[in-house]
Amino acid sequence: MGSIAARLQSEKDATSASTLRQVRNNAMDGSVVLDINLRSPWYDPKNVLDLARGESSNPKKLALLKLNEEELVILEDWCDL
């Protein structure tokens, strides 16, 4: 799954984002690959982190998180690392 499909700019994209959240939250622990694509202004930190972390009441590990060095710096900042 990828963060580009999770953008919430239109009704169509909101459906994609909702579907991704459902897949993420219902997948087995360690079975999801997440491709982070941060293209300003088309992302929201909360939405991206929610996809990465999974549902707060039942967080699940990712199998793989794909991102570039610039995106890593941004995620580290968001997570105070």
Side-chain angles (χ1 to χ4, degrees):
M1 67 177 31
S3 61
I4 289 177
R7 296 184 295 191
L8 301 174
Q9 301 301 317
S10 71
E11 188 174 316
K12 178 183 173 191
D13 292 335
T15 300
S16 295
S18 175
T19 300
L20 284 178
R21 280 192 300 274
Q22 288 178 5
V23 168
R24 173 69 172 109
N25 293 329
N26 292 311
M28 293 180 6
D29 195 36
S31 66
V32 174
V33 174
L34 178 60
D35 182 3
I36 299 289
N37 291 285
L38 303 180
R39 306 295 180 263
S40 188
W42 306 112
Y43 64 87
D44 173 70
K46 182 186 180 321
N47 292 333
V48 174
L49 290 174
D50 285 351
L51 275 179
R53 293 176 174 152
E55 197 171 69
S56 61
S57 63
N58 186 22
K60 296 179 182 174
K61 295 178 185 175
L62 291 170
L64 179 71
L65 177 64
K66 180 194 169 287
L67 66 165
N68 64 37
E69 289 180 16
E70 293 170 1
E71 294 159 343
L72 176 60
V73 170
I74 293 169
L75 261 65
E76 287 175 335
D77 184 52
W78 292 348
C79 297
D80 295 322
L81 298 176

